[in-house]
Amino acid sequence: MSGPEVSAADRAAFHRIVRARRDVRTGFLPDEPIDDEVLNRVLAAAHAAPSVGFSQPWDFVLVRDRATREAVHRIVERQRAAYAASLPRGRAEAFASLKVAAILDTPLNIVVTCDRTRGGRHVLGRYTLPQMAPYSAALAVQNLWLAARAEGLGVGWVSFLDDAGLAELGELLGLPAHLEVVAYLCIGHVREFADEPELATAGWARRRPLAWAVHQERYGRRALPGEEPMDLLAETLDAITPGSQEAAAAARERLDRMTKPRGSLGRVEELAVQLAAIAGACPAPIPEPAAVAVFAGDHGVHARGVTPWPQEVTAQMVANFLAGGAVVNAFAAQAGAEVCVVDVGVAAPLDPVPGLVPRRVANGTADMLSGPAMTREQAKAAVEAGIETARDLVTAGNRCLITGDMGIANTTAAAALICAFTGVDPVLATGRGTGVDDVTLAVKTEVVRSAIELHEPDPADPLGVLAAVGGLEHAGITGFLLGAAAQRVPVVLDGVNAGAAALAAIAFCPAVRDFCVPGHRSAEPGHRLALAHLGMDPLLELDMRLGEGTGAVLALPIVQGAARALQDVATFDSAGVTEKSPDGDG
Ligand SMILES: Cc1cc2nc3c(=O)[nH]c(=O)nc-3n(C[C@H](O)[C@H](O)[C@H](O)COP(=O)(O)O)c2cc1C
């Protein structure tokens, strides 16, 4: 037995080691062997890990043989190539410069395995949760990792293995069939330890604030101990501040000094200034990688005959996006952007596949002519799903967000939102959407008019407006814009549904406008009105009316080009180019 006291020095040392532990892939000293005594201490620490039912399901296979390591290296390289091929271009370029394994650079590799059968049939705590066995083995890895750091040894975890690779590894190591590989670790002496994760330094991903991960009593009541829980919407609104005037001024000044006639890039110059203001830096970082979030939802108002398309098409198109077969996928592939689909309210079951972000608040909205489309709670939950999506995409390393939408009948809800926020007549705001005929357009317009008359939404209460006549995807996109602004990244707006959501987001917080880049103007009349109301001049006008994020994705290269010009173009003084005389006209 020992008392609970820990000396201040021990405590400080422990926390220092925890903070200083790194996943190491570069800077190993391959020829410096690890002393057996040191290695035994590290393995003893691993073996001291907690385990389910004290089953100690781990084994440690120490691999020094060069031929074995070369074989594993080949397996990992194969998997690395497959992963690289799966990445959008904006990511693939960054990945090319990352090292993911140091198999041949360390004198020792350690394979940590898990035996799910160890301890027999009645392992205490593993009775209904078999995954507790590999969890326990992972704890042994963590102990090993920390102990190695305390000994000045670097460790790198390699998980670039698929099922075939794991089987080959099992063969190479002579692993019995009942053992599974939990971790492949490269361990050795290093020149130094980085202060921050290499992926953070490389801009691949960011550390999430601890406060995002701590919830009081119920999920969603986020607060650190000793702090008052704040709801996500209030916290996000609190975090949004306008773009930086200083960075904007620096960008204007730099644009004037760049080797080109003043103002010759036209509106691209305004865009460059906006990007600098958003980043709070001149030049602004290139808005890459970029991610399109397609918010998908169904609409109770579909029952009113506002579109000839059946509601099932929403779910079918979601499947198409996830399979890579839609126009937004083609445009995103061309622009090098990632596509994800956020299910905030599709009215059909969806298979959990990579790229689907399951955040369903309801199986579609209610009919806005029978009552509000959503409760305020539902609208808020969808807004918060949008905020979280933006947060997650930005912490995953994206530097530009793009709105997308999918929802049969959503242009009816968009028109109603635009009427509510701008006060225009439904005849002006309601359009043909997918291309409805005159009769359907008349029905649709009357539906919008009746909904506005029924709910009399108050534009000063954006959540109330969204709940009364909006769609779950409009609420989701609203949150996405708020989240982008709070994270200070540019967000490129797509068509009429994004325009409607931008009206809501800017009603929540006017400073959101500084972060929105209007990608294009769609053929929907309501979109023109929304953009005019917001004083936004879109980058493109191609008579598109598809949605999905397609117009915004086409605008992405312009946004990236604006930042690139600000970053790369020489100035008159740096390039030694003579400026025209102030009174010349040429
Ligand atoms: C389960 C697991 C698997 C990992 N697999 C790899 C990998 O295959 N290649 C790699 O370079 N890093 C891998 N890492 C390391 C992480 O990228 C690293 O832990 C993370 O970026 C945080 O950095 P830090 O460990 O230095 O704090 C893995 C980490 C864990 C926990």
Side-chain angles (χ1 to χ4, degrees), residues 220 222 230-240 376 379-381 383-384 387 391 462-463 466 478-479 482-483 486 508:
R222 290 181 174 82
M230 209 174 181
D231 75 49
L232 185 55
L233 176 56
E235 179 194 321
T236 304
L237 292 173
D238 220 42
I240 300 170
R376 284 182 81 88
K380 186 161 177 244
V383 169
E384 293 191 338
I387 294 172
R391 271 187 173 184
L463 198 61
L466 285 166
T478 301
L482 298 177
F508 272 117

Side-chain angles (χ1 to χ4, degrees), residues 18-25 76 95 98-102 138 141-142 145 155-161 182-184 194-200 204-205 207:
V18 167
R19 271 197 312 276
R21 182 210 52 78
R22 284 278 77 79
D23 184 86
V24 184
R25 278 148 271 154
V76 167
F95 179 66
L98 290 175
K99 193 166 159 69
V100 297
V141 176
Q142 177 72 342
W145 213 336
V155 173
W157 186 325
V158 185
S159 54
F160 276 70
L161 294 160
V182 167
Y184 192 98
D195 293 333
E196 290 295 328
E198 201 177 309
L199 295 186
W204 183 266
R207 192 181 292 284

Side-chain angles (χ1 to χ4, degrees), residues 41 47 135 191 283 290 534:
R41 282 201 295 270
H47 193 57
Y135 290 180
R191 269 196 297 277
L534 292 167

Side-chain angles (χ1 to χ4, degrees), residues 74-87 95 100 160:
R74 282 194 294 274
I75 298 170
V76 167
E77 282 300 301
R78 199 174 67 209
Q79 194 54 34
R80 179 193 167 106
Y83 174 69
S86 77
L87 292 172
F95 179 66
V100 297
F160 276 70

Side-chain angles (χ1 to χ4, degrees), residues 18 92 122 193-194 202 207 216 218 266 348 366 371 478 484 502 539:
V18 167
H122 303 291
F193 289 90
R207 192 181 292 284
Q216 304 282 345
R218 286 178 65 81
T478 301
L539 297 178

Side-chain angles (χ1 to χ4, degrees), residues 289-314:
V292 194
V294 181
F295 286 84
D298 276 307
H299 297 266
V301 74
H302 181 272
R304 299 282 171 174
V306 292
T307 168
W309 292 84
Q311 192 166 62
E312 303 87 83
V313 172
T314 303

Side-chain angles (χ1 to χ4, degrees), residues 30-325:
D31 300 324
E32 198 164 319
I34 302 172
D35 184 81
D36 282 342
E37 218 171 287
V38 172
L39 186 56
N40 274 312
R41 282 201 295 270
V42 169
L43 292 168
H47 193 57
S51 61
V52 64
F54 201 32
S55 59
Q56 305 155 75
W58 47 72
D59 283 276
F60 307 100
V61 184
L62 310 185
V63 182
R64 293 190 170 88
D65 180 65
R66 176 88 194 176
T68 307
R69 287 187 291 129
E70 279 175 356
V72 179
H73 176 72
R74 282 194 294 274
I75 298 170
V76 167
E77 282 300 301
R78 199 174 67 209
Q79 194 54 34
R80 179 193 167 106
Y83 174 69
S86 77
L87 292 172
R89 198 182 59 248
R91 282 269 177 196
E93 283 164 10
F95 179 66
S97 60
L98 290 175
K99 193 166 159 69
V100 297
I103 295 166
L104 301 176
D105 305 336
T106 53
L108 175 67
N109 296 176
I110 301 179
V111 185
V112 183
T113 62
C114 174
D115 179 353
R116 287 180 184 249
T117 65
R118 190 163 298 164
R121 201 171 156 177
H122 303 291
V123 168
L124 187 154
R126 204 189 60 194
Y127 181 50
T128 51
L129 296 174
Q131 66 270 36
M132 291 299 143
Y135 290 180
S136 303
L139 295 174
V141 176
Q142 177 72 342
N143 271 15
L144 183 156
W145 213 336
L146 290 168
R149 180 64 188 87
E151 301 284 356
L153 293 168
V155 173
W157 186 325
V158 185
S159 54
F160 276 70
L161 294 160
D162 59 357
D163 286 345
L166 285 169
E168 279 178 63
L169 179 61
E171 285 274 312
L172 283 166
L173 304 179
L175 287 186
H178 68 283
L179 292 193
E180 67 193 81
V181 172
V182 167
Y184 192 98
L185 306 171
C186 307
I187 177 166
H189 288 280
V190 291
R191 269 196 297 277
E192 59 189 1
F193 289 90
D195 293 333
E196 290 295 328
E198 201 177 309
L199 295 186
T201 309
W204 183 266
R206 302 183 188 185
R207 192 181 292 284
R208 293 167 62 86
L210 173 61
W212 292 5
V214 181
H215 308 253
Q216 304 282 345
E217 308 299 341
R218 286 178 65 81
Y219 186 88
R221 287 169 47 84
R222 290 181 174 82
L224 291 174
E227 290 180 356
E228 270 305 300
M230 209 174 181
D231 75 49
L232 185 55
L233 176 56
E235 179 194 321
T236 304
L237 292 173
D238 220 42
I240 300 170
T241 55
S244 158
Q245 286 307 315
E246 298 78 58
R252 272 188 211 100
E253 195 255 345
R254 185 176 164 79
L255 282 159
D256 285 349
R257 284 191 294 114
M258 277 159 49
T259 46
K260 59 171 187 58
R262 280 189 185 198
S264 57
L265 292 180
R267 290 194 14 236
V268 174
E269 298 204 6
E270 290 163 32
L271 186 54
V273 169
Q274 184 186 5
L275 293 172
I278 289 172
C282 174
I286 310 298
E288 188 177 51
V292 194
V294 181
F295 286 84
D298 276 307
H299 297 266
V301 74
H302 181 272
R304 299 282 171 174
V306 292
T307 168
W309 292 84
Q311 192 166 62
E312 303 87 83
V313 172
T314 303
Q316 290 161 359
M317 280 306 293
V318 165
N320 194 19
F321 299 139
L322 294 167

